Amino acid sequence: MEGFTMIYGALLASNSFADRFYQNFIEDNRWLMLLNGLKVTVIVTLEALLIGIIIGFIVAIIRSYHDKTGKFTILNAVCKVYLTVIRGTPSMIQILIMYLVVFGSSSLNSIIIGGIAFGINSGAYVAEIVRSGIMSIPEGQTEAGRSLGLSYAQTMRLIIMPQAFKNVLPALVNEMIVLIKETAIIGYIGEQDLTKAAMVIQSRTFDALLPLLAAAVIYLALICLLTFFMNKLERRLRNNER
């Protein structure tokens, strides 16, 4: 009798889960909300990565050049102010300022505004990561490049940056992972990303667990996929050194 009760209880629980799954994802095609939210998350992340890498490398080169030569004093000061402000204020406030103040009167899509805001934020961290990689390369490498008749820009592009990139790749991957998760706050400017989509489903089904769990699993899958490809790239770079 006790065994029958346990089996019956398990069947009820199974049916209950099936009903919840149907209500959260199948009914009214609510799974499409998560799919569209994932699309927004990926677009914003890629846009922010591109902007962040461009800004980060430019700032890193300016600061490292100043550290080595003492030149670019004004540009270096501007870069230091940028790094201090961006790293010292919450990313949510930054994205709200970009949306409500900087682009408050523009017709730009909130996805573009969010990508710009996250890119500017990420650029500050990428800059310090890349700068540490540049400064880790022995000065003799720069002198060797100059002795071959290369300009400073050519030396950086052909000799210093490839070595620095390999040194800081793990830290850059970590910054990319942080960026993917930080995009979850883009819902504050009215964009329905993956997290916002899960919350919308929750507001309609009054079931918080399954939508949020689905969003968490998708975020985890994105990060695992990124880590896999970046680890593959790192192994390839190391094999090319041999």
Side-chain angles (χ1 to χ4, degrees):
M1 185 64 180
E2 183 179 351
F4 174 78
T5 303
M6 292 177 63
I7 294 174
Y8 181 70
L11 288 174
L12 285 177
S14 176
N15 289 334
S16 175
F17 176 81
D19 290 341
R20 290 170 62 190
F21 185 89
Y22 178 84
Q23 291 173 356
N24 280 284
F25 305 118
I26 308 301
E27 187 176 336
D28 295 331
N29 289 325
R30 290 187 177 121
W31 63 273
L32 287 174
M33 294 183 187
L34 291 176
L35 185 61
N36 291 331
L38 173 61
K39 179 181 176 181
V40 170
T41 295
V42 170
I43 291 174
V44 172
T45 300
L46 291 176
E47 181 186 352
L49 277 176
L50 178 61
I51 295 172
I53 288 174
I54 293 173
I55 293 176
F57 272 75
I58 292 174
V59 172
I61 291 172
I62 291 173
R63 295 211 65 207
S64 60
Y65 184 73
H66 175 268
D67 291 341
K68 292 181 178 181
T69 66
K71 299 179 180 179
F72 287 173
T73 304
I74 297 177
L75 283 177
N76 182 66
V78 172
C79 290
K80 290 179 71 173
V81 172
Y82 159 71
L83 295 173
T84 301
V85 171
I86 296 299
R87 295 193 298 164
T89 56
S91 55
M92 188 174 75
I93 293 179
Q94 294 169 20
I95 192 173
L96 288 174
I97 290 175
M98 292 291 288
Y99 182 71
L100 298 174
V101 181
V102 178
F103 294 103
S105 59
S106 73
S107 58
L108 274 181
N109 188 290
S110 56
I111 293 180
I112 297 176
I113 297 173
I116 293 172
F118 286 120
I120 292 173
N121 177 273
S122 180
Y125 296 93
V126 171
E128 289 300 274
I129 292 171
V130 174
R131 176 172 169 263
S132 67
I134 293 174
M135 299 305 292
S136 69
I137 306 300
E139 188 63 29
Q141 297 285 333
T142 303
E143 295 173 357
R146 301 307 293 271
S147 67
L148 293 174
L150 301 177
S151 65
Y152 180 81
Q154 290 173 324
T155 302
M156 289 293 296
R157 180 169 58 88
L158 299 175
I159 299 177
I160 305 300
M161 292 306 298
Q163 297 180 69
F165 178 75
K166 283 182 280 189
N167 291 343
V168 302
L169 185 58
L172 286 175
V173 172
N174 185 65
E175 171 57 25
M176 293 177 189
I177 291 173
V178 170
L179 179 58
I180 291 174
K181 294 185 290 185
E182 278 197 342
T183 59
I185 65 173
I186 198 174
Y188 282 97
I189 62 172
E191 197 59 51
Q192 188 166 299
D193 70 317
L194 185 56
T195 301
K196 185 69 173 181
M199 294 304 298
V200 170
I201 294 174
Q202 181 273 331
S203 69
R204 297 180 182 179
T205 63
F206 303 101
D207 185 352
L209 177 61
L210 288 186
L212 292 175
L213 184 61
V217 169
I218 295 172
Y219 275 115
L220 180 61
L222 278 177
I223 290 170
C224 288
L225 190 64
L226 171 65
T227 304
F228 171 78
F229 283 112
M230 296 307 290
N231 286 342
K232 197 171 182 179
L233 174 62
E234 187 176 4
R235 286 194 298 269
R236 180 175 297 179
L237 291 175
R238 288 178 178 175
N239 291 334
N240 290 339
E241 289 181 345
R242 299 174 183 174

